[in-house]
């Protein structure tokens, strides 16, 4: 899975990366819950330097990361509303792709869960064999 591509629901915005995932994670933070409208967000972290995104309806909304108080830029399609990627100042070298927007999700499996203190009780898999953290990954 060296090259990954993805797009929004309407197809107006698309992205590519030439890199393998550095991390696949479940994020339970309140911001991800609100952005996705569900219990958590499955994200694929890739090097930001090799990530490109474009489209006529590409938009950005800035949020503040709950644990660090630093900004995160959330990119989405203003036409269909699909959340696509987050650039967090707390992890400046990563592009955090919303896994559901990938064209091919085969082979992805989360290795870690973050912001578990904000998790819905039913959404935390204690026995899943994943590392779990109450907030961000330790530095």
């Amino acid at each position: 899975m060296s090259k990954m591509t993805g797009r929004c629901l309407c197809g107006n915005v698309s992205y590519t990366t030439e890199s393998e995932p550095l991390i696949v994670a479940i994020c339970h933070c309140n911001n991800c819950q609100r952005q996705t409208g569900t219990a958590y967000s499955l994200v694929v972290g890739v090097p930001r330097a090799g990530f490109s995104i474009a489209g006529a309806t590409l938009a950005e909304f800035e949020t503040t990361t709950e644990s660090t108080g630093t900004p995160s830029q959330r990119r989405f399609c203003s036409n269909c509303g699909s959340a696509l990627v987050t650039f967090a100042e707390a992890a400046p070298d990563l592009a955090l792709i919303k896994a559901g927007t990938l064209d091919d999700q085969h082979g992805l499996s989360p290795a870690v869960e973050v912001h578990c203190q904000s998790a819905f009780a039913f959404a935390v898999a204690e026995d899943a064999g994943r590392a779990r953290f109450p907030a961000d990954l330790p530095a």
Side-chain angles (χ1 to χ4, degrees):
M1 179 186 279
S2 59
K3 180 178 181 175
M4 292 189 293
T5 60
R7 63 179 179 83
C8 65
L9 186 60
C10 70
N12 284 348
V13 179
S14 60
Y15 60 82
T16 62
T17 182
E18 298 291 334
S19 303
E20 291 288 326
L22 299 174
I23 190 167
V24 179
I26 293 172
C27 183
H28 297 280
C29 80
N30 293 126
N31 287 339
C32 280
Q33 290 169 353
R34 290 180 197 287
Q35 185 184 37
T36 62
T38 190
Y40 58 83
S41 181
L42 180 62
V43 296
V44 178
V46 297
R48 188 170 178 173
F51 179 82
S52 64
I53 187 167
T57 56
L58 179 62
E60 179 178 305
F61 183 76
E62 187 169 293
T63 59
T64 301
T65 305
E66 295 167 22
S67 57
T68 62
T70 57
S72 292
Q73 291 78 40
R74 295 172 178 272
R75 305 255 170 102
F76 64 97
C77 174
S78 64
N79 185 58
C80 66
S82 294
L84 297 161
V85 65
T86 299
F87 300 119
E89 188 175 290
D93 297 329
L94 287 181
L96 299 168
I97 298 169
K98 301 296 184 180
T101 65
L102 286 163
D103 292 328
D104 180 7
Q105 301 110 355
H106 291 91
L108 294 177
S109 181
V112 65
E113 294 184 55
V114 296
H115 293 279
C116 291
Q117 86 248 359
S118 304
F120 284 64
F122 76 86
V124 178
E126 299 279 346
D127 60 349
R130 290 187 281 269
R132 299 178 63 246
F133 300 93
D136 286 324
L137 288 173

